[in-house]
Amino acid sequence: MPVVEYHYTSASKPEGVAPSIARESAMAALTDGPRGALIIAAFAVGLLFAGWLFFYFVLFMTRGSVG
């Protein structure tokens, strides 16, 4: 008969859980909002749009009109 192994998560132990912080320090950290994530997302959308424009003008416009 196989031996059953019990696995425990780190959240079940007190040393694996982050300590709570004061309300004032949490509010100070959240005043600016997710500025870095918005910058990265805007950069990714800009690259996607630039790639779409590249394909549109280089591939589709050079073939001329259809029909």
Side-chain angles (χ1 to χ4, degrees):
M1 180 159 222
V3 177
V4 177
E5 292 184 28
Y6 294 102
H7 299 283
Y8 298 101
T9 64
S10 63
S12 65
K13 299 176 183 176
E15 62 270 8
V17 179
S20 61
I21 59 173
R23 181 177 173 90
E24 293 80 22
S25 62
M27 293 301 290
L30 295 174
T31 54
D32 293 331
R35 184 179 304 151
L38 291 175
I39 291 171
I40 291 172
F43 183 71
V45 169
L47 283 176
L48 185 66
F49 185 67
W52 181 82
L53 285 175
F54 173 78
F55 276 106
Y56 181 75
F57 285 111
V58 172
L59 295 177
F60 298 138
M61 294 298 286
T62 56
R63 295 181 184 206
S65 63
V66 176

